[in-house]
Structure formats: C-alpha cells, structure tokens
Amino acid sequence: DVKVTQSSRYLVKRTGEKVFLECVQDMDHENMFWYRQDPGLGLRLIYFSYDVKMKEKGDIPEGYSVSREKKERFSLILESASTNQTSMYLCASSSRTSGGGEQYFGPGTRLTVT
Amino acid sequence: GQNIDQPTEMTATEGAIVQINCTYQTSGFNGLFWYQQHAGEAPTFLSYNVLDGLEEKGRFSSFLSRSKGYSYLLLKELQMKDSASYLCAVTTSNDYKLSFGAGTTVTVRA
C-alpha cells in the first residue's frame, strides 16, 4: 500500500513563527505536492516538485516555501505564519509512470495560527 | 487557468441513486479524476476517465464527455458510509498537477 505520512495531525502556532510541515512517502514516487484546503474553496495547490531539489510554484505560493532534499521527503515552510494561513494542509505524491498521475494523499495537518 | 464547477451539496436517501455533475473549461485537457473525502480524512481515489464514455466500478460509475467538458459520478444503492465530499479534478497534457473543483458534499439520510 502507498503510504504518505505527515509530521503532525494538529498544530497550533503563533503569528510570526516559522512553521515546518513535513511529508514523507514510501513508494519511490517522483512527484510530490502541497495543497491547502479551505471550506468552499476546495484543494488549492501551493507548491509541487517533480524531482529532488526541484520545486515549482502552484496557484497560491505566496507566504510559503518548500524543500526537497531527498526523493521521499517534501517539506512546506511558512516563513512567518499569519492568521490567514490557518487551514488544512494536505501532502500528496504520484508516480510519473502511473496512468494519468493518480495522487495519493497524506492524512493532513490542521494548522491554527493565533 | 482551469474552471471546474460542481454543486456544493446534495442530499439523498439510503438505497437511492445520486448523480454528481462536474463541468470544466480547461485548455490542454487530458483526463478527469474523482476522489472521495470523508470528514477529517484524506481524499481517496475513486475513478479516472480519459476517454469518452462510462466507467463502472461496483456501485460507483463515472462518465466523461470531452466535447462537452462534462463528467458525472453516479453513486448507486447509497449507503450511510457514502456520506462524504466528492472532488472532481482535471489534468492537462504533459503535466502531473491536478486542478480541483470545490467539492460536492453528499449527505445520505436513513
């Protein structure tokens, strides 16, 4: 079974703190993605990576950065957390060879910034 | 950019059938995914359509019309456990990104 794990299920941080969200997949997938999910807005892509040390901006990258030093790990960084970054964050991975690029999701991290 | 529309909410009775529509306007369209997401959980894959027509998988079926920019997910013999959000997502050629609709929350009543 494909497994995508995220470092925390729930996280509470203060405004201005630096926040690290970690994602690890165990299926040797090339592609990894970070989304945030908000009511009424669906999943919105923050950043993605198709290879180690490679990163691309998604639809809403402002206020975020990412790091991919190893194939299995993709980290999302909030340099200075703000209250409008309170959200559910979902990591996903996919293989280049699977038909259509089905994505497998982690359980999510619910981040609250106070 | 992508424009993907699906209804916000639907309610149906246990044992009934529900059809969730998804329309999209996407340049370079390649294929369409449906995911199921229970409250507080991760989305899980349901179906993938790349060619026109109906794909059946047990109680769930998914249809695609590329010329109309339209898909639907059909849930038959509804069960209480089918209460969830259903997400429509599209991919474009030569890209692995998914663009998601806002999701449809289905509530199954006894």
Side-chain angles (χ1 to χ4, degrees):
Chain A
D1 267 359
V2 175
K3 195 159 187 185
V4 181
T5 57
Q6 296 182 226
S7 49
S8 306
R9 288 302 305 271
Y10 300 93
L11 209 53
V12 180
K13 294 292 182 180
R14 293 192 182 276
T15 301
E17 279 193 83
K18 191 168 186 175
V19 182
F20 292 87
L21 302 182
E22 304 284 342
C23 175
V24 178
Q25 50 92 7
D26 66 358
M27 283 302 294
D28 201 35
H29 283 170
E30 297 86 0
N31 310 323
M32 296 189 75
F33 307 84
W34 274 107
Y35 297 89
R36 62 178 285 176
Q37 187 173 31
D38 302 287
L41 296 178
L43 275 81
R44 292 180 291 165
L45 183 63
I46 305 171
Y47 267 96
F48 62 99
S49 169
Y50 290 163
D51 204 347
V52 176
K53 296 196 185 292
M54 177 267 184
K55 57 186 178 184
E56 292 276 351
K57 293 179 180 179
D59 299 318
I60 51 163
E62 296 77 20
Y64 303 94
S65 62
V66 289
S67 172
R68 188 149 183 221
E69 296 296 318
K70 294 185 178 181
K71 189 176 186 180
E72 67 271 18
R73 187 180 296 269
F74 193 34
S75 303
L76 180 69
I77 303 150
L78 287 66
E79 295 290 341
S80 177
S82 63
T83 54
N84 62 13
Q85 293 178 311
T86 291
S87 187
M88 170 69 85
Y89 289 88
L90 289 160
C91 174
S93 72
S94 71
S95 168
R96 285 186 202 150
T97 56
S98 69
E102 175 191 344
Q103 292 186 14
Y104 298 83
F105 286 83
T109 296
R110 185 164 292 283
L111 173 67
T112 302
V113 183
T114 61
Chain B
Q2 326 293 355
N3 191 12
I4 303 163
D5 288 316
Q6 49 181 132
T8 304
E9 294 180 336
M10 302 183 76
T11 302
T13 305
E14 201 172 11
I17 298 172
V18 71
Q19 178 175 313
I20 307 167
N21 296 325
C22 173
T23 58
Y24 61 88
Q25 291 176 304
T26 304
S27 55
F29 174 82
N30 186 53
L32 188 144
F33 286 87
W34 284 98
Y35 281 81
Q36 180 190 57
Q37 186 179 23
H38 286 102
E41 297 182 11
T44 55
F45 169 81
L46 286 178
S47 67
Y48 174 59
N49 293 70
V50 64
L51 301 175
D52 285 355
L54 188 68
E55 297 268 349
E56 296 188 77
K57 198 184 287 187
R59 295 188 298 113
F60 292 4
S61 304
S62 57
F63 172 84
L64 176 67
S65 169
R66 296 176 68 102
S67 62
K68 294 182 179 177
Y70 167 70
S71 173
Y72 67 73
L73 180 69
L74 195 69
L75 285 61
K76 294 181 275 190
E77 300 168 19
L78 278 172
Q79 302 176 9
M80 299 300 288
K81 67 179 182 180
D82 298 330
S83 291
S85 285
Y86 292 85
L87 313 177
C88 171
V90 301
T91 61
T92 55
S93 300
N94 302 316
D95 202 348
Y96 299 101
K97 293 185 294 182
L98 294 180
S99 294
F100 284 86
T104 300
T105 299
V106 171
T107 302
V108 181
R109 299 178 304 190

